[in-house]
């Protein structure tokens, strides 16, 4: 956002990967009014030639007088060089206001560069007493229509979505985007250690990339998936773990990953500490039952001291459902320390 004499003269945001950054859109909207204005940005203006030219050069050329940025760019190709270029051109630079809020907004980008993996969000829907299905396995639908709409909106905000083979077999999900809010298809991921995904799976009928991570030999998989509409790639790993999978996804350019289940997979991500945020659609239902499943399977924490803690954000409402959001304790402070680097 560009402000001059107390008035907003230009605004912009980064529409898509490979497109002009927010600064460029704001400068174009402001035109000549950008001269002697103050530029407010969440992220340090870039200083290198990547998919687009350096934003710092454009800011300098436009005659901006002052730049206020929430935090430094963690990309090692920038990492303070943008600020240095602005200061060398005589532009006043201030860094730090609203830094934590900006990290939340830029969570995928910051996590990808700071930790070498995508930002991982764990998501599930459950009843007020913590059940994700009845004892007979009925789960559709615990959440309200507006809650399910919110879940679809989440897919538009993430680069990739992940489920385990148990969920793929039991629910046969398409794992696709349906709202048309994001450019391009989402990367769909199935953790399938024994390569059980059938050729009839609905995920295979949706165009776009589908990654199947397996520990089984994958020679026959190409033949099995030959007729798929999806762009299927089987990825053989010695061990299919949250760490190995997120490392490979990072290598493929995925910056944000939405994990939708099932309970074993969610528990693996929690147990390994490979997550940053938890989002829960809590429905006003009481299912009960000793054998009705909860969202996290496995052995769980043996002692309370071993149970990961979350830092809650203010709850929201979607229809009759309550949306709970929590960041892994220490997640945001750790990223901020790395940005101060």
């Amino acid at each position: 956002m560009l402000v001059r004499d107390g008035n907003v003269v230009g605004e912009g945001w980064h529409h898509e990967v490979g497109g002009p950054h927010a600064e460029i859109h704001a400068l174009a909207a402001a035109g000549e009014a950008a001269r002697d204005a103050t530029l407010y940005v969440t992220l340090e203006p870039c200083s290198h030639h990547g998919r687009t030219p350096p934003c710092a050069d454009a800011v300098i050329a436009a005659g901006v007088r002052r730049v206020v940025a929430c935090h430094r760019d963690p990309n090692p190709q920038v990492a303070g060089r943008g600020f240095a270029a602005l200061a060398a051109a005589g532009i006043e630079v201030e860094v730090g206001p609203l830094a934590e809020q900006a990290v939340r907004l830029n969570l995928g980008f910051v996590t990808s560069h700071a930790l070498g993996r995508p930002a991982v969000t764990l998501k599930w829907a459950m009843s007020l007493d913590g059940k994700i299905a009845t004892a007979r396995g009925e789960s559709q639908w615990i959440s309200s229509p507006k809650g399910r709409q919110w879940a679809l909106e989440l897919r538009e905000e993430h680069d990739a979505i992940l489920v385990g083979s148990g969920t793929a077999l039991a629910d046969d999900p398409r794992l696709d985007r349906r709202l048309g809010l994001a450019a391009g298809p989402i990367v769909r991921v199935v953790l399938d250690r024994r390569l059980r995904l059938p050729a009839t799976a609905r995920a295979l009928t949706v165009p776009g990339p589908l990654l199947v991570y397996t520990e089984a030999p994958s020679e026959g998989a190409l033949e099995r998936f030959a007729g798929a509409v999806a762009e299927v790639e089987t990825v053989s790993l010695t061990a299919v773990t949250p760490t190995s999978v997120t490392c490979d996804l990072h290598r493929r350019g995925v910056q944000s990953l939405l994990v939708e289940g099932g309970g074993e997979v969610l528990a693996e991500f929690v147990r390994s500490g490979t997550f940053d945020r938890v989002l829960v659609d809590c429905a006003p239902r009481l299912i009960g039952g000793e054998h009705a499943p909860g969202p996290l399977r496995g052995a769980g924490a043996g002692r309370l001291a071993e149970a990961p803690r979350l830092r809650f954000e203010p709850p929201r409402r979607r229809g009759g459902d309550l949306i709970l959001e929590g960041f892994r304790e220490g997640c945001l402070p750790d990223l901020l320390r790395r940005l101060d680097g």
Side-chain angles (χ1 to χ4, degrees):
M1 179 174 65
L2 282 156
V3 177
R4 179 175 170 177
D5 299 327
N7 299 311
V8 175
V9 295
E11 294 180 287
W13 56 284
H14 189 194
H15 296 186
E16 60 183 348
V17 174
H21 292 177
E23 297 95 319
I24 305 304
H25 287 293
L27 290 170
E32 286 299 317
R35 186 162 300 278
D36 292 326
T38 296
L39 173 66
Y40 294 92
V41 290
T42 59
L43 184 68
E44 173 185 5
C46 65
S47 58
H48 69 297
H49 284 271
R51 293 186 177 97
T52 60
C55 290
D57 289 356
V59 173
I60 294 167
V64 170
R65 178 179 58 83
R66 180 170 174 252
V67 171
V68 179
C70 298
H71 59 74
R72 182 171 71 94
D73 189 332
N75 185 341
Q77 293 180 292
V78 185
R81 294 181 181 88
F83 291 146
L86 296 174
I91 296 174
E92 180 186 347
V93 176
E94 180 182 353
V95 185
L98 302 177
E100 185 172 306
Q101 292 89 328
V103 168
R104 287 192 187 94
L105 185 65
N106 297 325
L107 187 64
F109 179 80
V110 173
T111 302
S112 177
H113 285 288
L115 301 182
R117 64 162 174 81
V120 177
T121 296
L122 310 181
K123 175 261 173 186
W124 63 81
M126 69 180 188
S127 62
L128 185 59
D129 58 335
K131 306 295 184 180
I132 62 169
T134 67
R136 295 182 178 181
E138 183 183 355
S139 62
Q140 297 182 352
W141 295 99
I142 288 176
S143 53
S144 68
K146 288 189 176 180
R148 297 195 292 278
Q149 175 72 14
W150 166 78
L152 291 176
E153 291 169 3
L154 277 181
R155 295 184 181 182
E156 305 285 329
E157 299 171 8
H158 289 78
D159 296 336
I161 180 174
L162 181 151
V163 298
S165 58
T167 296
L169 292 170
D171 297 343
D172 197 17
R174 291 171 45 173
L175 302 175
D176 58 343
R177 286 182 177 144
R178 303 173 199 176
L179 305 182
L181 302 178
I186 194 168
V187 177
R188 295 166 302 137
V189 181
V190 179
L191 303 192
D192 191 3
R193 292 182 175 87
R194 290 177 285 165
L195 205 58
R196 298 186 296 163
L197 190 69
T200 56
R202 290 203 304 161
L204 300 172
T205 67
V206 178
L210 176 67
L211 299 176
V212 181
Y213 288 90
T214 181
E215 296 172 5
S218 58
E219 289 80 2
L222 293 178
E223 181 179 341
R224 183 196 310 181
F225 301 141
V229 173
E231 302 159 23
V232 183
E233 180 180 350
T234 58
V235 183
S236 295
L237 299 175
T238 303
V240 175
T241 66
T243 300
S244 64
V245 169
T246 53
C247 180
D248 187 71
L249 289 173
H250 172 72
R251 183 180 61 81
R252 296 169 184 270
V254 171
Q255 293 188 352
S256 56
L257 173 65
L258 180 65
V259 180
E260 288 198 351
E264 293 289 348
V265 168
L266 288 166
E268 285 185 47
F269 275 83
V270 170
R271 185 166 53 250
S272 68
T274 314
F275 74 101
D276 304 285
R277 182 173 64 155
V278 174
L279 287 169
V280 178
D281 180 330
C282 187
R285 294 176 180 268
L286 297 172
I287 292 177
E290 181 180 354
H291 300 292
L296 302 179
R297 303 284 182 89
R303 300 169 55 244
L304 279 177
E306 300 169 353
R309 293 184 63 88
L310 302 177
R311 183 177 127 183
F312 273 133
E313 298 292 294
R316 293 165 281 163
R317 298 291 295 270
R318 288 293 184 272
D321 300 353
L322 190 64
I323 304 299
L324 303 177
E325 178 179 13
F327 283 89
R328 177 177 48 82
E329 188 174 61
C331 167
L332 296 176
D334 177 51
L335 291 175
L336 287 168
R337 281 193 298 270
R338 291 171 183 266
L339 288 172
D340 288 341

